[in-house]
Amino acid sequence: MKDLVLQEFKEGKEISSKGYALFSKDGNFKPYEFKRHCVGERDVLIEILYAGICHSDIHTARSEWGEVSYPLVPGHEIAGRVIGVGKGVEKFKVGDLVGVGCMVNSCQSCPTCQSGEEQFCDEGKTIFTYASKDIFHNGELTQGGYSSHIVVDENFVLKVPQNAKLECVAPLLCAGITTYSPLKRANIQEGDEVGIVGFGGLGHMAVQYAKSFGANVSVFATSESKRDLAFRLGAKHFYNVKNPKEIEGINNRFKVILSTVAQNYEISDYLKMLKVDGEMIIVGVPPIANPATLNATALIWNFRRKVYSSLIGGIRETQEMLDYSIKNEIYPMIEMIDIKELDNAYERVLKSDVLFRFVIDMKTLS
Ligand code: NDP
Ligand code: ZN
């Protein structure tokens, strides 16, 4: 496969890629061969070595956030190696270890892109890594990281330090940046109380970042079996929300609560736990048919508490997060799988039966 891909690259042809795709919202994963666009002047050709499984992959692939087109290859937590570069590429060379996260392009020239927040491109031209119409390549549908190769504009490729544990780097590209970005912006100081709601792929990264910023961390979760792990990852308190007695009387405590819950729940249940001017940041995105709700009356009677959202992070900040995580040895806990186990892995994510992120070993593709 690699020889064929290198030959195609040399001849300026479209790049063959193989992966696993869903062919309908309720189907199973099947092998799928497809073409990536040719490697342009400023593109990097990447051999994918590892891909994380994010809960967003499941929401998207099952059309839970709106109908998507099939076949669909999910995957936006990608770690791999550069095997070719376009003539104008300045930042990468063959052999470099790299990552690709949730975006592969944007207009790159509007004030918001220029400020490093390409995920909010003013022109609405953010191209997501999969299930996105790529207006820069004749409207082709982007396909994600559960695959052998990908071609990405160099400005959307992240540098991975050589000393990184590459298999653990993949989940940083989404779970890492999505939690690092809002926690960093919340300006957490030594000793601040921070709550993390939902203790899965994102949640267990959030605990580690909040702790590294100096916070006293509390975890709110539904899996009793994860209690000890929360303490091991640095939390001071663990509350099982299935047992309402445990959370009774927690009032006016937190500066920040970050919610990563992927199911329906009532956001205002947490507001009384915030201090005045405390912030509840929502990153979990439940299905449209089963949304989280925010009772406006409860919002007001919880006085001046803020509720806002955050969406991944820009490329500059993603690089900062990667460098910070690797320097401070903040990594996800992963379970490596064979790509043929994807269907079962999805079911296990839905049951919170993974510690804490599945990573596909792309060697199993052949
Ligand atoms: P996971 O399934 O790994 O984690 C979600 C966790 O939520 C579960 O492990 C479960 O943990 C916990 N949970 C479920 N119900 C409750 C509840 N009622 N109260 C508290 N905890 C609960 O998913 P991910 O971490 O991969 O993703 C989480 C969400 O974030 C998804 O909706 C995803 O789409 C979204 N997301 C958003 C991004 C953004 O940019 N905003 C980017 C990436 C993902 P436990 O069993 O321990 O309770
Ligand atoms: Zn994700």
Side-chain angles (χ1 to χ4, degrees):
M1 182 82 187
K2 193 169 167 186
D3 291 345
L4 169 68
V5 166
L6 288 174
Q7 188 64 28
E8 289 167 338
F9 166 58
K10 229 163 92 186
E11 292 172 7
K13 291 185 176 158
E14 290 187 321
I15 301 295
S16 296
S17 192
K18 62 179 180 183
Y20 268 60
L22 281 180
F23 291 75
S24 67
K25 64 178 162 198
D26 44 16
N28 288 333
F29 276 99
K30 294 195 182 79
Y32 177 54
E33 298 198 2
F34 59 103
K35 296 277 188 193
R36 303 280 188 186
H37 53 256
C38 315
V39 180
E41 278 276 294
R42 294 203 162 266
D43 286 341
V44 179
L45 171 59
I46 300 165
E47 177 186 26
I48 300 175
L49 300 174
Y50 302 103
I53 298 180
C54 178
H55 204 126
S56 300
D57 298 348
I58 305 178
H59 293 310
T60 310
R62 297 189 171 176
S63 287
E64 291 178 358
W65 290 340
E67 291 296 321
V68 293
S69 301
Y70 300 91
L72 172 72
V73 180
H76 58 204
E77 294 184 338
I78 298 170
R81 187 182 293 117
V82 176
I83 60 167
V85 292
K87 288 193 179 65
V89 167
E90 289 166 357
K91 301 178 194 162
F92 298 94
K93 59 180 188 323
V94 170
D96 286 351
L97 298 180
V98 289
V100 178
C102 301
M103 307 177 269
V104 288
N105 219 332
S106 75
C107 89
Q108 302 191 36
S109 54
C110 72
T112 303
C113 285
Q114 286 283 306
S115 73
E117 303 235 76
E118 303 87 348
Q119 74 277 29
F120 305 135
C121 174
D122 295 338
E123 305 286 321
K125 291 180 179 168
T126 307
I127 310 296
F128 292 98
T129 306
Y130 60 83
S132 199
K133 190 174 158 193
D134 186 350
I135 51 163
F136 303 105
H137 295 95
N138 305 318
E140 70 180 27
L141 194 69
T142 56
Q143 300 288 9
Y146 303 178
S147 60
S148 59
H149 297 87
I150 191 165
V151 178
V152 183
D153 181 304
E154 69 167 332
N155 290 333
F156 288 78
V157 178
L158 288 308
K159 285 180 205 291
V160 176
Q162 292 290 331
N163 62 334
K165 293 185 208 162
L166 195 63
E167 67 278 20
C168 292
V169 163
L172 296 176
L173 277 311
C174 176
I177 184 60
T178 302
T179 51
Y180 174 91
S181 173
L183 289 171
K184 182 82 193 301
R185 282 161 201 279
N187 192 25
I188 293 162
Q189 304 294 315
E190 194 69 35
D192 281 342
E193 297 287 333
V194 171
I196 306 297
V197 188
F199 191 43
L202 267 59
H204 91 295
M205 294 309 304
V207 170
Q208 298 183 73
Y209 290 127
K211 161 98 169 113
S212 78
F213 297 153
N216 295 332
V217 182
S218 296
V219 170
F220 295 85
T222 54
S223 298
E224 188 56 40
S225 59
K226 296 181 187 167
R227 188 178 285 268
D228 289 343
L229 276 167
F231 298 129
R232 247 208 274 160
L233 289 179
K236 280 229 157 80
H237 305 280
F238 179 94
Y239 301 103
N240 186 339
V241 296
K242 280 189 179 157
N243 180 6
K245 280 222 153 46
E246 288 194 28
I247 46 178
E248 250 173 41
I250 307 178
N251 297 324
N252 296 308
R253 191 205 285 177
F254 296 105
K255 170 172 170 158
V256 174
I257 296 178
L258 178 76
S259 174
T260 70
V261 177
Q263 278 116 307
N264 66 320
Y265 67 107
E266 174 51 43
I267 292 169
S268 67
D269 288 351
Y270 288 91
L271 296 182
K272 70 175 179 4
M273 301 185 196
L274 290 170
K275 291 179 174 173
V276 173
D277 286 330
E279 307 176 0
M280 178 148 176
I281 312 166
I282 312 295
V283 294
V285 194
I288 290 173
N290 205 12
T293 49
L294 174 56
N295 179 321
T297 309
L299 176 65
I300 289 155
W301 288 118
N302 278 291
F303 310 140
R304 206 173 58 208
R305 269 77 170 178
K306 297 172 197 152
V307 179
Y308 64 95
S309 65
S310 188
L311 180 74
I312 50 174
I315 295 297
R316 209 178 294 157
E317 198 177 27
T318 305
Q319 188 65 57
E320 175 191 309
M321 173 280 308
L322 266 182
D323 297 342
Y324 178 86
S325 306
I326 289 153
K327 181 161 165 250
N328 293 287
E329 301 208 342
I330 297 176
Y331 283 111
M333 281 177 66
I334 64 162
E335 182 179 335
M336 193 93 85
I337 58 161
D338 186 309
I339 198 161
K340 293 166 211 69
E341 297 166 31
L342 271 171
D343 295 311
N344 185 42
Y346 270 32
E347 292 314 311
R348 285 184 52 198
V349 171
L350 294 174
K351 286 191 267 177
S352 288
D353 176 25
V354 50
L355 298 174
F356 277 87
R357 207 42 148 196
F358 285 117
V359 172
I360 306 162
D361 183 351
M362 222 48 78
K363 280 199 295 290
T364 61
L365 192 54
S366 47

